[in-house]
Amino acid sequence: MCNDLKEINVLVVKIQNAIKFVRSSSFSQLAFKKYVEKLHIECKKLLYLNVATRWNSIYLMLATVEKFEMVFMRLGESEPRHMSYFLEIDSKVNKKKHRAT
C-alpha cells in the first residue's frame, strides 16, 4: 500500500510541474491556449494548482488537468526540452526548482 501512495505522489508532482511550466511564462501560456483552440477543447476552467490547506484541491487540480490531457501531450511534443525538465522529480519526490533557460 505504501508503494502505491508513493507512485501516486510521483504522478501528482509531475502534474504540478507540468502546470507550473505552462504558468511559468507568457510564451508557455500562449502556446497552451493555442493548442486548446486548435483541439477545440471546450473548458472554461483554468489550470489549478493544489493548495495544501484545502482538502479537495488535488481532486480539483486533477479534474481540470484531465480535460486538457491532449493539450499537454501536444505541448510536450513541441517543447520537449522544457517539458522534460518540468516532468522530472528529485530523489526525494519533490518538485524540481524552476531555473532560467
Side-chain angles (χ1 to χ4, degrees), residues 5-39:
L5 291 177
K6 286 180 182 178
E7 289 177 26
I8 291 170
N9 187 44
V10 167
L11 294 173
V12 168
V13 168
K14 288 180 179 185
I15 291 169
Q16 290 170 330
N17 290 342
I19 292 170
K20 286 181 180 181
F21 167 73
V22 170
R23 297 172 71 181
S24 68
S25 72
S26 58
F27 176 77
S28 299
Q29 290 174 6
L30 185 62
F32 186 83
K33 288 179 184 179
K34 179 182 83 172
Y35 285 119
V36 168
E37 292 171 3
K38 189 174 186 177
L39 295 169

Side-chain angles (χ1 to χ4, degrees), residues 2-97:
C2 186
N3 285 336
D4 292 339
L5 291 177
K6 286 180 182 178
E7 289 177 26
I8 291 170
N9 187 44
V10 167
L11 294 173
V12 168
V13 168
K14 288 180 179 185
I15 291 169
Q16 290 170 330
N17 290 342
I19 292 170
K20 286 181 180 181
F21 167 73
V22 170
R23 297 172 71 181
S24 68
S25 72
S26 58
F27 176 77
S28 299
Q29 290 174 6
L30 185 62
F32 186 83
K33 288 179 184 179
K34 179 182 83 172
Y35 285 119
V36 168
E37 292 171 3
K38 189 174 186 177
L39 295 169
H40 305 291
I41 295 177
E42 298 290 329
C43 183
K44 300 295 180 194
K45 293 183 179 183
L46 300 174
L47 291 177
Y48 181 86
L49 273 173
N50 65 310
V51 180
T53 58
R54 295 192 58 187
W55 67 271
N56 64 343
S57 65
I58 289 179
Y59 168 78
L60 294 172
M61 178 185 72
L62 295 175
T64 303
V65 166
E66 180 185 25
K67 296 182 185 330
F68 296 112
E69 180 179 5
M70 291 303 296
V71 176
F72 279 106
M73 290 174 64
R74 291 280 180 94
L75 194 59
E77 292 168 0
S78 67
E79 298 290 332
R81 184 173 62 96
H82 295 291
M83 286 303 290
S84 65
Y85 173 79
F86 282 95
L87 290 176
E88 293 177 10
I89 55 173
D90 66 16
S91 61
K92 295 180 183 175
V93 190
N94 294 313
K95 298 173 257 316
K96 287 188 85 175
K97 303 297 183 214

